[in-house]
Amino acid sequence: FSFPKAPVTSGNFIELVQKGFYDNMDVQRSDGFVVQTGDPKGDAVGYVAPPSKSVGAGKNGERLIPLETFLKGDKAPFYETTIEDEGRGGEATVLPFSSYGVMGWAREEYEPNSGSSQFFWLLFDSDLTPAGKNVLDGRYPVFGYVIEGADFLSDAKEGDVIVSAKVTEGLENLALPK
């Protein structure tokens, strides 16, 4: 996971892993383009928690995090808008959707600050998602890359269960919002 390049998104994910949120969670989507999970059972479409200064609240109490985008040449990520909204469409992101197993944060298409707990692994296809020229870069945050064991993604099906998730290193870098 990339704390310095996607601190809010990766921090949110790591915190949810530590809380056991993804343990025994079903895969909700597996369509040849992405494998997606993180939508809990019930009315809420994400992790339910009290809002803080740095996060919002969804209609069913979901903790929402802002869209986070870091472009090459910038000193830090920007928040709450897409690269098109910023007038920077086509610029390269620091963490692009450029390989099989990219981990992206899901959100509602037209609401940049609607991410909560749902994420996806991209089943990369260079024709559909060329880096810097696809419909994902700058519209959905990347917060990590699968570096080993990615072959399981091609076999993942809707209804498969994530038995458990755990942080294996880097937890000391997590800083929770106050």
Side-chain angles (χ1 to χ4, degrees):
F1 308 104
S2 189
F3 280 111
K5 295 179 178 137
V8 171
T9 308
S10 57
N12 187 61
F13 177 76
I14 296 298
E15 182 189 9
L16 293 175
V17 168
Q18 286 299 101
K19 290 178 181 283
F21 179 78
Y22 297 107
D23 295 354
N24 299 307
M25 176 81 58
D26 288 352
V27 169
Q28 287 100 24
R29 177 179 171 191
S30 182
D31 58 10
F33 183 63
V34 299
V35 173
Q36 184 168 326
T37 191
D39 183 4
K41 293 182 181 357
D43 292 336
V45 294
Y47 175 70
V48 175
S52 72
K53 286 192 270 183
S54 58
V55 293
K59 64 182 175 183
N60 293 306
E62 298 91 348
R63 176 175 74 181
L64 302 179
I65 63 169
L67 173 59
E68 178 175 48
T69 306
F70 200 164
L71 297 179
K72 287 187 179 179
D74 288 359
K75 293 183 186 205
F78 60 87
Y79 297 91
E80 302 189 19
T81 61
T82 67
I83 58 174
E84 286 82 12
D85 293 339
E86 291 291 311
R88 300 177 70 183
E91 291 189 38
T93 56
V94 172
L95 297 172
F97 284 95
S98 62
S99 63
Y100 189 88
V102 170
M103 298 177 74
W105 206 251
R107 64 176 185 81
E108 293 177 24
E109 185 176 3
Y110 298 109
E111 178 50 56
N113 301 323
S114 60
S116 178
S117 57
Q118 294 186 47
F119 72 95
F120 58 90
W121 290 278
L122 179 67
L123 305 180
F124 181 75
D125 180 323
S126 60
D127 291 336
L128 293 174
T129 52
K133 296 181 172 79
N134 64 57
V135 297
L136 300 174
D137 283 336
R139 291 183 186 102
Y140 296 87
V142 169
F143 67 98
Y145 297 87
V146 174
I147 55 173
E148 60 182 68
D151 52 331
F152 87 92
L153 293 172
S154 63
D155 295 327
K157 306 285 182 263
E158 286 182 29
D160 286 354
V161 175
I162 298 171
V163 175
S164 69
K166 72 177 190 174
V167 178
T168 58
E169 63 181 63
L171 189 58
E172 68 278 2
N173 297 317
L174 178 63
L176 296 174
K178 300 199 183 317

